[in-house]
Amino acid sequence: MAGLKTIIALSFVLAIGFLLVILSSALWKNYFPLLVVATYVVAPIPNWICGRFSNPDDFIDSPGSALIDFGRFFTGFLVVMGVALPVLLAHCGIIVYPAMIMSILGGLLIYGTIISFTMFFQEEQEF
């Protein structure tokens, strides 16, 4: 069971991640790095949806793993896109390289915090 200190620490890390992404946009007056926030916020959704739809029934011993694998694949795709998008924008000259670094670090902090929240506050299923 996660306590109050865990919530405060994860909220602080999430705030630093958002600060880095917002500063990577605002310091150079180019708001394309904000697309990273959208990819990291949307990234856990396929995993959550596919996990909900693959719950076993009372009559089936184990759930089908194809749906879970698809959710993990699409989540991984979105996470890689969140890292690759600033690299692509910097390579094309749309954003500068320091904005790319700040955007990647901020995005990884945001996604890591989302994953940590789900790990710490996941309820165990009782049978």
Side-chain angles (χ1 to χ4, degrees):
M1 183 75 177
L4 185 61
K5 290 182 181 180
T6 305
I7 294 172
I8 292 172
L10 289 174
S11 299
F12 183 70
V13 172
L14 183 67
I16 290 174
F18 276 118
L19 178 70
L20 281 173
V21 173
I22 290 170
L23 282 178
S24 71
S25 300
L27 288 178
W28 290 278
K29 296 177 180 63
N30 190 348
Y31 294 97
F32 281 109
L34 286 178
L35 293 172
V36 173
V37 174
T39 60
Y40 282 114
V41 169
V42 173
I45 293 174
N47 211 4
W48 175 69
I49 290 173
C50 292
R52 292 287 179 192
F53 284 139
S54 68
N55 282 337
D57 292 331
D58 292 337
F59 303 111
I60 300 174
D61 290 336
S62 64
S65 66
L67 193 59
I68 294 173
D69 290 341
F70 175 73
R72 289 179 182 163
F73 171 77
F74 204 65
T75 298
F77 170 75
L78 290 172
V79 170
V80 170
M81 187 175 84
V83 173
L85 186 62
V87 173
L88 178 73
L89 292 173
H91 178 73
C92 293
I94 297 173
I95 63 174
V96 294
Y97 285 102
M100 174 195 74
I101 293 169
M102 289 174 68
S103 180
I104 290 173
L105 288 177
L108 290 176
L109 284 175
I110 291 168
Y111 186 68
T113 305
I114 291 170
I115 293 298
S116 299
F117 266 117
T118 57
M119 284 176 44
F120 282 127
F121 299 106
Q122 187 175 25
E123 295 180 11
E124 294 183 18
Q125 296 178 354
E126 296 180 13
F127 294 104

